[in-house]
Amino acid sequence: MKKLGIYVHIPFCIRKCLYCDFLSFSEGEERRALYFDALKKEIAYSAKECSGYETESVFIGGGTPTSVDPDYITEIMKLLKDNYNILENAEITIECNPGTADFSALKKYREAGINRLSIGLQSANDDELKRLGRIHNRKQFEDCYQNARMAGFENVNVDLMSALPGQKISDWENNLNYVLGLDPKPEHISAYSLIIEEGTPFYDLYNDEACKDCSLAALPLPDEDTERNMYYLTKELLGKKGYHRYEISNYAAGTYECLHNKRYWECRDYIGFGIGAASLMNGVRYSNIRDMSKYISCFTKEDSVSDIKSGDEMLKDIRENTEKLTETAKMEEFMFLGLRMTKGVSIKEFRDKFGKEIHEIYGNVISSLREEGLLEVTEDSVRLTDKGMDVSNYCMAEFLL
């Protein structure tokens, strides 16, 4: 039977961070209730097209899923279990921000079948957290982390963010050592650099040439060399403590790689529920509309019987940007997504998937990047070197046909 990943988008948060460009916002209880009513209908109506799949992973993301009443989440979990063939050993993750989930809530999530928690620490320095516009402090993270363990979570990820305004290498090293000093240590660590995205308060601050070096009370962003050294330090420190890097920004202890995210990088089927959620099903990529009012209205039945739409029609109304991937597009995605992982892409899998040799399609690119020391080829893999990981965006762009 085919395998599936499920993503559920909870767009609500208490306050949007200064760097955040995700589809998230603060809403009152009435709007939240309307959203979850619509979300549950989307999940129920979509079950038919997923009947031929076994679900290997579920990821509840946001926003801040733990900022809503936990009963909403337990209802979603029950609906998924009742309507989808979720494997007994499926990885089921919920994103959590410190200060938004107490022990009681975490216990409810665990009892509902959620077995992986991803906690957004970002920094162990309270001043850095304030600069990011985060709502929590280090003490709240510590409480959340210990409560999660007491609630029964044995698979916990901690998010850390580097290259923050005013951050020195020593500050980043302190953050890494803090997380590595947790007891028990997290099973997974995501360590990535701050990216200034258009449409965020940080973009307005740092995109203004006049104040590029004096934003946020004279706290400039680290330069390129400093950011790269932070990157090297991350790999070195985490490696010494038994974490292996399996993707550009992700490190796992033992077998605790994130199965759901690997599904994206390996171009395997997944379906997304909620506003803005993306899906890839049977070679067709599409996304949901981003307007919450429109999303809710699509699942609201009118009084007149003649106006009532079928579930299939409602699903059609919320889906957009539908694209049946061409063979060329599939090859491109196979390469530039797969190269995010340290294991790279499989030569055999490319041959089995596309009926062609990888060197037949990408021979010139592979040779060129190998000569630059950015790529290496083994008996059955093509993967980026450490140097290639440094300029991964450049390397991946070379595989666009």
Side-chain angles (χ1 to χ4, degrees), residues 198-327:
E198 192 170 356
T200 66
F202 265 17
Y203 184 84
D204 295 336
L205 283 168
Y206 286 99
N207 204 49
D208 185 344
E209 291 295 331
C211 65
K212 212 166 201 174
D213 295 324
C214 59
S215 300
L216 292 179
L219 292 174
L221 296 170
D223 60 33
E224 216 171 279
D225 288 339
T226 301
E227 185 175 345
R228 185 169 287 119
N229 286 330
M230 289 177 175
Y231 173 82
Y232 294 147
L233 180 64
T234 304
K235 183 185 177 187
E236 178 187 353
L237 286 184
L238 269 58
K240 287 179 179 178
K241 293 296 184 177
Y243 292 86
H244 66 275
R245 184 178 65 170
Y246 66 99
E247 191 268 345
I248 292 173
S249 303
N250 286 279
Y251 298 78
T255 60
Y256 287 97
E257 297 177 0
C258 180
L259 301 181
H260 189 82
N261 285 341
K262 284 176 68 176
R263 175 171 295 279
Y264 297 146
W265 304 321
E266 293 170 352
C267 302
R268 292 187 285 141
D269 285 356
Y270 57 89
I271 188 167
F273 302 129
I275 57 171
S279 301
L280 174 63
M281 297 285 285
N282 294 314
V284 177
R285 188 179 295 285
Y286 62 89
S287 59
N288 285 354
I289 57 177
R290 297 172 62 86
D291 186 299
M292 191 169 85
S293 294
K294 289 182 180 178
Y295 177 82
I296 291 171
S297 67
C298 284
F299 291 103
T300 302
K301 294 185 176 181
E302 304 295 336
D303 292 334
S304 169
V305 174
S306 62
D307 290 332
I308 294 177
K309 294 182 178 180
S310 69
D312 288 345
E313 289 175 316
M314 293 180 188
L315 292 176
K316 186 177 179 181
D317 287 344
I318 66 163
R319 296 175 179 176
E320 60 183 7
N321 303 319
T322 301
E323 175 192 6
K324 184 170 178 56
L325 297 180
T326 64
E327 195 77 349

Side-chain angles (χ1 to χ4, degrees), residues 62-82:
T64 307
T66 51
S67 69
V68 304
D69 188 316
D71 287 345
Y72 284 130
I73 304 300
T74 58
E75 289 170 8
I76 293 296
M77 283 300 303
K78 184 178 186 309
L79 189 62
L80 289 172
K81 288 180 178 180
D82 288 346

Side-chain angles (χ1 to χ4, degrees), residues 187-199:
E187 286 69 29
H188 190 282
I189 297 173
S190 294
Y192 46 88
S193 299
L194 170 68
I195 299 176
I196 307 297
E197 300 284 4
E198 192 170 356

Side-chain angles (χ1 to χ4, degrees), residues 19 49 60 66 73 93 130 167 194 235 237 245 264-265 298 303 316 331 333 339 341 346 368 371 376 379-380 382 399:
Y19 59 87
E49 63 187 296
I60 304 171
T66 51
I73 304 300
T93 304
K130 288 177 183 176
Q167 189 178 59
L194 170 68
K235 183 185 177 187
L237 286 184
R245 184 178 65 170
Y264 297 146
W265 304 321
C298 284
D303 292 334
K316 186 177 179 181
M331 286 191 287
E333 292 198 359
L339 285 171
M341 295 182 292
S346 165
S368 176
E371 288 176 8
E376 62 184 17
E379 185 176 341
D380 186 49
V382 175
F399 288 90

Side-chain angles (χ1 to χ4, degrees), residues 51-67:
S51 60
Y53 287 88
E54 291 178 326
T55 300
E56 291 183 310
S57 66
V58 177
F59 196 103
I60 304 171
T64 307
T66 51
S67 69

Side-chain angles (χ1 to χ4, degrees), residues 15 21 48 79 103 127 134 152 158 178 180 249 255 267 313 326-327 329 332 350 365 395 397:
R15 186 181 68 205
D21 74 328
K48 183 173 63 175
L79 189 62
F103 174 76
D127 288 336
R134 302 290 289 180
V158 174
Y178 169 78
L180 292 171
S249 303
T255 60
C267 302
E313 289 175 316
T326 64
E327 195 77 349
E332 290 175 339
F350 187 95
V365 174
C395 295

